[in-house]
């Protein structure tokens, strides 16, 4: 798996502090999305004492947890709504030429996945981490028509008389 074809986008960096006797110590958390714009995308949250290390860790986590996204004509196969924590994301397929109608966090993930036309709505809490994880979970749950047909064929119950 060549790693050069992945593009990364830093979604956000947060600074947290812990107070010690001699003052505050800062740590950083970086949320990074990685994708090839051809149906593969990953998300990572890295934490470290310095920003570059946090970004590097997040990048590694994102590459480790890549998922395949079914894309049909530049959009998703069906509408889906996923709740993560107190955040809910609604993803809707869109006609060609619509573009990516999304907030900052889902836009970064969807564009790196290679989706060109989609409608989204963030509901509930707009916490960037929860929205990012909800978006990834929604993409993970997407199924194509062929997937559903295959699943239904294998899980077909025996005919019951009566």
């Amino acid at each position: 798996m060549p790693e050069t074809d992945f593009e990364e986008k830093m979604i956000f960096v947060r600074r947290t502090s812990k107070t010690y006797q001699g003052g505050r110590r800062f740590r950083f958390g970086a949320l990074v999305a990685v994708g090839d714009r051809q149906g593969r995308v990953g998300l990572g949250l890295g934490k470290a004492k310095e920003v570059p290390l946090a970004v590097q860790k997040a990048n590694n986590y994102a590459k480790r947890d890549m998922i395949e996204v079914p894309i049909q004509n530049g959009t998703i196969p069906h509408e889906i709504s996923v709740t993560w924590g107190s955040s809910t994301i609604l993803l809707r397929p869109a006609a060609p030429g619509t573009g990516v109608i999304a907030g900052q966090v889902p836009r970064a993930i969807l564009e790196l996945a290679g989706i060109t036309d989609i409608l989204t709505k963030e509901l509930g809490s707009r916490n960037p981490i929860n929205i990012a994880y909800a978006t990834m979970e929604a993409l993970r749950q997407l199924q194509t028509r062929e997937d559903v047909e295959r699943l239904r064929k294998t899980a077909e119950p025996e005919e019951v008389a009566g």
Side-chain angles (χ1 to χ4, degrees):
M1 175 171 77
E3 303 219 349
T4 54
D5 56 354
F6 290 130
E7 192 179 321
E8 73 171 83
K9 255 189 201 168
M10 187 164 30
I11 296 173
F12 85 102
V13 174
R14 69 175 175 191
R15 185 182 80 172
T16 58
S17 65
K18 182 172 182 181
T19 307
Y20 286 90
Q21 194 175 357
R24 293 188 186 93
R25 299 252 174 97
F26 298 111
R27 289 178 71 200
F28 299 91
L31 189 64
V32 173
V34 174
D36 62 0
R37 294 188 184 265
Q38 288 166 13
R40 293 185 49 167
V41 69
L43 185 73
L45 177 62
K47 301 173 189 176
K49 290 183 178 171
E50 294 172 21
V51 176
L53 287 174
V55 172
Q56 188 180 351
K57 276 186 181 181
N59 203 352
N60 291 339
Y61 293 146
K63 285 180 180 170
R64 197 172 61 193
D65 297 329
M66 299 287 278
I67 61 167
E68 289 282 338
V69 181
I71 301 173
Q72 296 176 339
N73 301 327
T75 190
I76 56 176
H78 57 86
E79 185 177 314
I80 189 162
S81 177
V82 169
T83 301
W84 188 279
S86 178
S87 301
T88 302
I89 186 103
L90 172 67
L91 304 180
R92 269 199 177 137
T98 305
V100 179
I101 312 292
Q104 180 192 352
V105 176
R107 174 184 297 274
I109 295 168
L110 296 167
E111 284 177 350
L112 287 174
I115 294 169
T116 53
D117 304 296
I118 192 166
L119 301 167
T120 70
K121 182 68 185 156
E122 295 175 18
L123 305 163
S125 166
R126 285 185 165 62
N127 176 318
I129 295 177
N130 285 346
I131 287 291
Y133 283 132
T135 304
M136 286 298 288
E137 187 54 35
L139 294 176
R140 194 175 281 119
Q141 289 179 17
L142 287 174
Q143 294 179 316
T144 62
R145 184 183 178 107
E146 292 76 34
D147 292 338
V148 175
E149 284 174 357
R150 197 173 345 95
L151 287 170
R152 288 185 184 173
K153 219 172 256 179
T154 58
E156 213 157 271
E158 291 81 39
E159 290 295 319
V160 179

